[in-house]
Amino acid sequence: MKYITKFFWLFVGVLFIFSGLIKINDPVGTAIKLEEYFEVFSTDIAPFFNALKPAALFLSIFLSALEIVLGVALLVRWKLKEVLWLLLAMIVFFTFLTFYSAYFNKVTDCGCFGDAIKLTPWESFTKDIVLLVMIIVLLMTQRYLQPFISSKVGATITALTAILSVGIGWYAYENLPYIDFRAYKIGNNIPALMKPSAPLKYKYIMTKGSEEQEFTEYPTDTTWVFKEMVAINPEDGPKITDFNVWNDQGDHTQEILTGTKLVVVVHNVGKADTGNFERINALVAEAEKQGITPIVITSSSGQEFEQFRHEVNLAAPYYYGDHTVLKTIIRSNPGIWLLKDGTTKGLWHHNNTPTIDEVKEALAD
């Protein structure tokens, strides 16, 4: 039991730190996932969850940092009993979220490990059940985990971890994620990722009375009733399925993915930061002189954007895109996205708006 306890201690501590680091690497992405949960809960449980949406970013950084802090505190065995009870409370909360998502098929990706590792709802729930069991065992066998550093040193390490974790999260918010796990990251070719990497294969689930059976080819026996079609190799499917750009004249997706484009992404004008538009406008003007086509993609309505573009003096043709897709492309509002024949050559937060020389350097890579 002593060795089992020490294995659980190490596994739980490391996993919580890893999970927290992955999420705090991209606090805006984690906030988006929290907003999804709040949206579902406001409809299914109580409307007051909608009131939590404005606090999504704060909760994103706080909960991610808390995971890291509790993981570190567990590993250094500081305030062990209190830390284990906090871990238990957190994992019970997460288990409820993942069970709700899995059972009611509400949020199909829990975001447990951000965009780095995708888990299905039932895989996430299973993972949380395993952690729940481990933490309960640790609570019952904590006598095997005697302190090996003083309480003062443990408190210092934990406090420094908390400060560092919050700092990491805030810096990622003010810039961009340190490590980009998204499909639109630098180097990825968008048109290629919009196609399957191999032919998709399907199985057909059919029923006949109380009997259910799977077929790799659609049965010719008409007594079987179709229930659902499931992909056998979903990992070979397109990684990008929802990228689309249009305006009042029609679809312009292929046009955007051809040639060299400097794209200013404005998720929505209501929440856009206007503080760096002087530099963005200068970049747009210089790009046009260099033969780089500047455009804007926004999810706001034409009327809203017309008013906004005049307020910030943004002189570039604009198109429309899906709000969720734009937030996936770049976590900054506004942000700059550099494309060359559909390949992402650069992504910049508005706080780090590049010079034209930096843009040309990115295109040359």
Side-chain angles (χ1 to χ4, degrees):
M1 199 65 218
K2 180 179 179 180
Y3 294 111
I4 292 173
T5 299
K6 288 190 174 179
F7 171 75
F8 285 1
W9 158 75
L10 184 63
F11 185 87
V12 172
V14 170
L15 191 66
F16 265 83
I17 293 170
F18 176 73
S19 174
L21 285 173
I22 288 292
K23 289 199 278 285
I24 213 161
N25 168 72
D26 182 11
V28 175
T30 305
I32 292 168
K33 188 58 61 178
L34 286 174
E35 287 175 356
E36 284 185 49
Y37 278 112
F38 296 153
E39 183 72 33
V40 168
F41 293 159
S42 66
T43 303
D44 294 1
I45 299 176
F48 81 85
F49 280 100
N50 265 326
L52 295 176
K53 283 185 179 180
L57 180 64
F58 166 79
L59 291 171
S60 164
I61 295 176
F62 173 76
L63 291 174
S64 302
L66 184 60
E67 282 191 72
I68 299 169
V69 169
L70 291 178
V72 169
L74 177 64
L75 291 183
V76 301
R77 303 180 191 174
W78 178 73
K79 298 284 186 183
L80 187 61
K81 183 177 180 180
E82 291 84 351
V83 166
L84 285 172
W85 278 109
L86 284 171
L87 285 169
L88 180 64
M90 181 171 273
I91 201 62
V92 167
F93 172 68
F94 287 157
T95 304
F96 165 74
L97 291 185
T98 53
F99 173 76
Y100 194 91
S101 299
Y103 188 80
F104 295 102
N105 196 31
K106 292 291 186 177
V107 181
T108 54
D109 172 23
C110 73
C112 304
F113 299 109
D115 289 304
I117 303 172
K118 297 287 188 179
L119 298 178
T120 67
W122 284 117
E123 286 172 344
S124 301
F125 175 67
T126 302
K127 178 262 298 177
D128 288 342
I129 287 294
V130 171
L131 283 173
L132 180 63
V133 171
M134 286 184 171
I135 293 169
I136 290 172
V137 170
L138 287 173
L139 272 167
M140 296 170 64
T141 61
Q142 56 187 288
R143 63 185 179 278
Y144 296 121
L145 298 172
Q146 294 301 315
F148 57 87
I149 58 174
S150 69
S151 179
K152 188 175 181 180
V153 172
T156 301
I157 292 173
T158 304
L160 289 174
T161 301
I163 294 168
L164 185 61
S165 299
V166 172
I168 288 171
W170 189 254
Y171 185 85
Y173 167 67
E174 288 290 344
N175 296 272
L176 287 177
Y178 302 89
I179 305 173
D180 195 347
F181 297 104
R182 291 161 294 159
Y184 297 89
K185 67 182 180 180
I186 294 172
N188 279 8
N189 182 266
I190 310 309
L193 293 175
M194 294 170 72
K195 301 173 184 176
S197 56
L200 288 175
K201 299 176 183 178
Y202 296 91
K203 62 182 178 182
Y204 304 92
I205 301 175
M206 315 291 288
T207 60
K208 183 191 290 188
S210 59
E211 184 183 359
E212 183 175 293
Q213 191 169 328
E214 296 179 358
F215 296 86
T216 54
E217 294 184 2
Y218 200 90
T220 56
D221 184 350
T222 56
T223 59
W224 286 100
V225 178
F226 175 79
K227 181 180 179 182
E228 63 178 322
M229 182 172 69
V230 180
I232 298 172
N233 56 336
E235 67 282 355
D236 293 327
K239 302 298 184 290
I240 296 175
T241 59
D242 47 8
F243 179 72
N244 191 32
V245 178
W246 69 93
N247 65 11
D248 295 337
Q249 282 69 52
D251 185 88
H252 291 266
T253 306
Q254 292 307 313
E255 179 186 336
I256 302 303
L257 298 175
T258 305
T260 305
K261 302 290 191 302
L262 181 78
V263 184
V264 179
V265 179
V266 181
H267 301 163
N268 63 74
V269 299
K271 295 183 178 180
D273 190 315
T274 60
N276 290 302
F277 265 100
E278 186 175 338
R279 287 193 292 161
I280 293 173
N281 291 336
L283 177 64
V284 166
E286 285 296 324
E288 202 159 18
K289 291 177 185 176
Q290 298 291 329
I292 302 169
T293 305
I295 64 168
V296 181
I297 306 178
T298 183
S299 67
S300 296
S301 68
Q303 182 178 358
E304 289 175 319
F305 193 76
E306 280 292 341
Q307 181 179 346
F308 176 81
R309 70 183 299 195
H310 285 100
E311 290 175 359
V312 299
N313 298 313
L314 182 56
Y318 65 91
Y319 301 85
Y320 304 114
D322 178 77
H323 183 61
T324 301
V325 172
L326 297 185
K327 288 194 293 185
T328 302
I329 292 169
I330 191 163
R331 300 306 196 196
S332 172
N333 183 27
I336 295 100
W337 181 29
L338 183 63
L339 284 167
K340 184 177 182 180
D341 293 326
T343 296
T344 298
K345 305 297 286 184
L347 287 165
W348 292 275
H349 193 286
H350 64 83
N351 286 333
N352 304 311
T353 300
T355 64
I356 192 61
D357 289 336
E358 290 175 307
V359 168
K360 290 163 67 177
E361 185 180 340
L363 288 171
D365 288 343

